[in-house]
Amino acid sequence: MTARSVCFLLLAPLLATGCGSDEAAPPPGDPEKGRAIIRAYGCGSCHVIPGIPGADGRTGPSLERIAKRVYLAGVLPNTPDDMARWIREPETVDPRTAMPNMGVSESDARDITAYLYTRK
Ligand code: HEC
């Protein structure tokens, strides 16, 4: 057997399963839209958010480098899906949280999440 065919045999199962997980894939939203949406919802009245003019609120934690946070609100693993869920319905994650449900739509939450994941 040639080295090349050994290599093919080793790689074939990986290729068949899509070559790894899609966990590293960027969140599906549009970060530029997200930036505008964050301003429209006024998230900056409670959060410091780098890149958003006037976002200097102190009620909630700073969202600086939020992409690197391991847990969101101390309880949710920091994945794009969980961040979007937190943004849409924080009270279902933690009924006592001070962050209000702001009626964010699913697509707005995806765009916001895409923007926040640019904060590394
Ligand atoms: C009335 C104040 C308030 C507003 C408005 C608000 N938040 Fe929050 N937010 C909070 C508080 C307080 C927490 C901390 C929650 C906790 O730890 O239980 C939080 C937590 C978060 C977290 C998790 C941060 C971390 O360090 O784990 C994210 C992400 C977040 N907010 C995004 C948003 C976005 C996006 C908006 C706008 C749609 C928004 N927030 C609007 C108060 C607010």
Side-chain angles (χ1 to χ4, degrees):
M1 202 184 300
T2 65
R4 197 188 187 112
S5 59
V6 169
C7 180
F8 177 77
L9 286 175
L10 288 175
L11 279 177
L14 283 177
L15 293 171
T17 59
C19 227
S21 78
D22 53 8
E23 263 185 8
D30 175 339
E32 272 316 306
K33 269 200 215 156
R35 186 206 298 269
I37 293 168
I38 286 171
R39 294 184 74 174
Y41 279 105
C43 312
S45 63
C46 285
H47 292 287
V48 169
I49 314 173
I52 309 290
D56 59 0
R58 293 283 166 190
T59 304
S62 165
L63 302 185
E64 190 176 11
R65 306 194 69 210
I66 185 74
K68 297 283 188 219
R69 204 74 54 82
V70 176
Y71 290 104
L72 295 173
V75 290
L76 272 188
N78 187 2
T79 65
D81 278 355
D82 280 332
M83 188 186 285
R85 177 180 166 210
W86 172 264
I87 290 167
R88 294 194 67 208
E89 39 186 39
E91 79 286 2
T92 67
V93 177
D94 177 359
R96 301 185 62 213
T97 184
M99 176 155 154
N101 180 325
M102 302 178 75
V104 179
S105 73
E106 211 173 312
S107 78
D108 283 357
R110 270 199 299 271
D111 292 337
I112 291 173
T113 298
Y115 177 76
L116 291 179
Y117 267 88
T118 67
R119 315 316 311 175
K120 296 181 181 178

